[in-house]
Amino acid sequence: MRIVLENNVFYISFVSTVLIVLLLLIRGILGTKIHKMFFTIAWTFILARLIVPLNLIVSVRWPYCVKNLCKSFATISFARFLWIWCAGACVTAAVFVVRYVLCGRMLREALPIQKVPGIDEEMFTFMGIRVYVSDRISSPITFGILHQKVLLPKYYMNLSREQLKYILIHEKVHIDCHDNLNKFLVIVAVCIHWFNPFAWLMYVCYNQDLELACDEKVIRQVGEVGREAYANVLISLASKDIIGEPVYSGFAGNAIRKRIIMIMGYRHTRKWNYGLYAVASVLFIATFAVPGQIEALSGMSSAGAVSGGAISPGAAASAEPDKKEYKAVKVHRILKDDSSGARTYVTVKTVEGVELNIKILLNKKIAVTTGSVLTSYLPEGESWGAGMDTAYDGVVTIPEAVAFEGGQYPVQKIGSYTFYECKKVRKIRIPDTVKEIEAKSFYECEALKKLRLPPGLEVMGVNPFVGCSSLEEFEMPESHMQYQVKDGVLYTDYGRYLKVFPQGSKQKDVVVDSDVVQIANCAFYGAGVQSVTLPDGLARVKSKSFQNCRQLLRVRASRKTRFVSDAFQGAGQAQIIRYESQ
């Protein structure tokens, strides 16, 4: 499970629309049976999905139709519509700002409330609430976001003590629940997703549900006895002329009929309602969850990935989907799904009918051949095994790509132990898609005599051909500069680094090319050479470079050439003969 930043507003809007429709269906079918607190919680989760640009990459196997829908929206080029979106967002925000400023200017004319005979003064500073009076409103409201105040209409002096108590309790609940802040966030979401009619529908429904949830909390405070009296106050103060400001909480201006029905039909929380709260928690995860295969398609490239809860800048997959068509093979059998959803282990059949293990890296959109042990460690009593039948005698063609769940995953790496102890394999065809060969990939392929390396090879681990006793030479296109083959020997770093001397080479007396400055780890492993002359400019011979060269008698080297202490491990007869540098 990983978290990535999302920069495609259309994709976020699509996912949120599905959730909005789902919640509206629940609201329409079970709205009278479920406490309104559930809906406010659910709306808050969807609101977070609309505003917070994060995606939670999960390993759940999503239905194919869901993944296709996600893919269609994830691949929309948001940059093409950026200016149109910005213009719409700015216009929408300007409308709300103008309404708020005009309303605020009008409400700032309100005066502090005066003491009313027979009414306790504490009621007007109820738990720190600042109460004002305005002749511009016809129903009590709470105005503001950070510094909130309750405004009463000018006829408040005609209200009874009981009516004022219910009004102030109602407004206090709005303040405690930060409902005005929630309404402000809904406006932010509408400004971002102004093009989505379902966002506007959420704006209307969320405001209604906030009022209904507030009424529920008031009833729980005043008890069953005060329910009817509270409803009567609501009816008596209902007005069609209430001020039209979006960032406020009104006592009697929002869906009066629904509120009266809910108040009179209110029942204590049923146990199954708590189950719905658990469902809401699952909904919270679902609001951010996307199929792992969509990650690379949805433009999540701007900031990174999260592993274990910490954002790692630049780590998010940002690659565009590979458009190239490959000769892909189908999955023969699924072996294992990784718990993180980042990879899946499968078996494919090569053109020769040989079963070969493949690791599909879903996030990177590539495939890797792999050994038969699928974990990163060895369980007790088990040993490493090849990714294919070790008794097979013949040719193996590694596929270019694997077709899996509607996508193509090019094979770009040959993993360790893929051909471990496949002693009878005579030829292995490596596709041009391969860019990396890991250490011990071809460990002890004793019958392998010649190997063509791919032209796009970029990385190779420590001698992947250890134990390939019959390997005589490598082949590689001359156009490849980083990896070069001279006289069958493999060099890297543009010919400056002797990477692998084929173990089965017939050369006995070897003169290393003058451009070479370093001999790689295990470079001459098991080779039948007897004499090796190193160039004057060679600076270092690395660990186990001549390991198990049992016929090696002498190595001529400059006095400035440095040998790692175990460079001749298993080559007991070898002697170093120094010569003066030129």
Side-chain angles (χ1 to χ4, degrees), residues 114-343:
Q114 298 179 0
K115 185 176 180 181
V116 181
I119 304 297
D120 294 337
E121 186 175 355
E122 299 83 48
M123 187 173 292
F124 301 117
T125 56
F126 185 69
M127 296 294 291
I129 295 178
R130 296 180 299 166
V131 183
Y132 294 79
V133 177
S134 173
D135 59 355
R136 310 293 294 273
I137 61 174
S138 57
S139 178
I141 64 172
T142 297
F143 181 77
I145 299 175
L146 298 178
H147 304 289
Q148 301 178 77
K149 56 185 178 182
V150 175
L151 278 73
L152 298 178
K154 63 181 179 180
Y155 58 77
Y156 80 95
M157 295 186 66
N158 299 325
L159 300 175
S160 66
R161 175 186 177 85
E162 184 180 43
Q163 288 176 320
L164 277 175
K165 181 185 73 173
Y166 288 134
I167 290 172
L168 292 176
I169 290 176
H170 179 95
E171 302 305 333
K172 180 64 166 59
V173 169
H174 275 308
I175 293 173
D176 290 343
C177 295
H178 307 287
D179 285 347
N180 282 3
L181 176 61
N182 292 332
K183 292 184 178 186
F184 171 75
L185 294 177
V186 174
I187 292 175
V188 172
V190 168
C191 291
I192 296 174
H193 301 272
W194 57 269
F195 54 87
N196 187 346
F198 287 95
W200 292 94
L201 185 58
M202 182 198 72
Y203 168 74
V204 175
C205 294
Y206 191 19
N207 283 327
Q208 290 182 0
D209 288 340
L210 283 175
E211 288 297 331
L212 293 170
C214 181
D215 289 334
E216 282 186 346
K217 293 176 183 178
V218 173
I219 295 171
R220 284 198 289 269
Q221 289 189 34
V222 302
E224 294 288 334
V225 178
R227 179 173 59 181
E228 185 174 349
Y230 176 68
N232 288 332
V233 174
L234 188 64
I235 293 172
S236 66
L237 297 182
S239 172
K240 295 182 181 180
D241 299 325
I242 191 166
I243 191 170
E245 166 56 33
V247 189
Y248 78 97
S249 298
F251 180 78
N254 200 322
I256 293 297
R257 184 174 180 275
K258 288 184 179 180
R259 293 171 65 185
I260 297 299
I261 293 174
M262 187 279 298
I263 291 171
M264 300 311 297
Y266 177 80
R267 295 292 183 272
H268 287 296
T269 306
R270 301 175 180 88
K271 292 183 179 179
W272 61 272
N273 270 231
Y274 293 109
L276 286 175
Y277 296 148
V279 172
S281 299
V282 175
L283 182 63
F284 173 70
I285 298 177
T287 56
F288 293 92
V290 298
Q293 294 89 335
I294 304 304
E295 175 192 5
L297 304 177
S298 55
M300 307 169 195
S301 60
S302 56
V306 172
S307 299
I311 295 182
S312 304
S318 59
E320 290 294 323
D322 199 330
K323 304 296 185 183
K324 184 178 178 179
E325 289 295 326
Y326 299 97
K327 295 179 181 178
V329 297
K330 296 180 180 179
V331 171
H332 176 62
R333 181 171 60 254
I334 296 179
L335 299 175
K336 176 185 174 184
D337 275 328
D338 186 80
S339 58
S340 68
R343 57 187 62 83

Side-chain angles (χ1 to χ4, degrees), residues 509-554:
D509 299 315
V510 177
V511 178
V512 177
D513 193 281
S514 60
D515 293 333
V516 175
V517 296
Q518 195 165 170
I519 306 293
N521 293 52
C522 301
F524 283 85
Y525 180 92
V529 295
Q530 296 178 354
S531 173
V532 177
T533 300
L534 304 180
D536 184 23
L538 195 144
R540 190 182 185 196
V541 177
K542 301 187 74 174
S543 176
K544 302 179 182 179
S545 296
F546 296 95
Q547 184 178 12
N548 290 347
C549 293
R550 305 189 188 282
Q551 300 180 41
L552 182 60
L553 300 177
R554 56 188 173 275

Side-chain angles (χ1 to χ4, degrees), residues 370-373 378 383-391 415-425 428 439-446 464 466:
T370 182
S372 63
V373 178
L378 281 173
S383 59
W384 291 106
M388 58 169 285
D389 182 9
T390 56
S416 299
Y417 299 97
T418 298
F419 301 100
Y420 181 77
E421 292 187 340
C422 292
K423 300 178 183 294
K424 297 182 180 180
V425 174
I428 298 175
K440 299 185 179 179
S441 299
F442 302 90
Y443 191 87
E444 294 191 4
C445 289
E446 296 179 351
V466 167

Side-chain angles (χ1 to χ4, degrees), residues 405-438:
E405 293 189 344
Q408 286 192 345
Y409 297 83
V411 178
Q412 294 189 2
K413 183 189 297 186
I414 301 177
S416 299
Y417 299 97
T418 298
F419 301 100
Y420 181 77
E421 292 187 340
C422 292
K423 300 178 183 294
K424 297 182 180 180
V425 174
R426 298 189 302 274
K427 187 173 183 180
I428 298 175
R429 297 191 180 103
I430 303 176
D432 292 348
T433 55
V434 170
K435 298 179 180 180
E436 181 176 351
I437 300 176
E438 292 187 339

Side-chain angles (χ1 to χ4, degrees), residues 368-395:
V368 181
T369 66
T370 182
S372 63
V373 178
L374 304 181
T375 54
S376 58
Y377 60 91
L378 281 173
E380 186 176 354
E382 293 190 21
S383 59
W384 291 106
M388 58 169 285
D389 182 9
T390 56
Y392 175 73
D393 182 354
V395 178

Side-chain angles (χ1 to χ4, degrees), residues 8 10 75-86:
N8 190 332
F10 297 141
T75 53
I76 293 177
S77 177
F78 179 65
R80 294 176 55 190
F81 304 95
L82 181 60
W83 291 109
I84 299 176
W85 173 81
C86 286

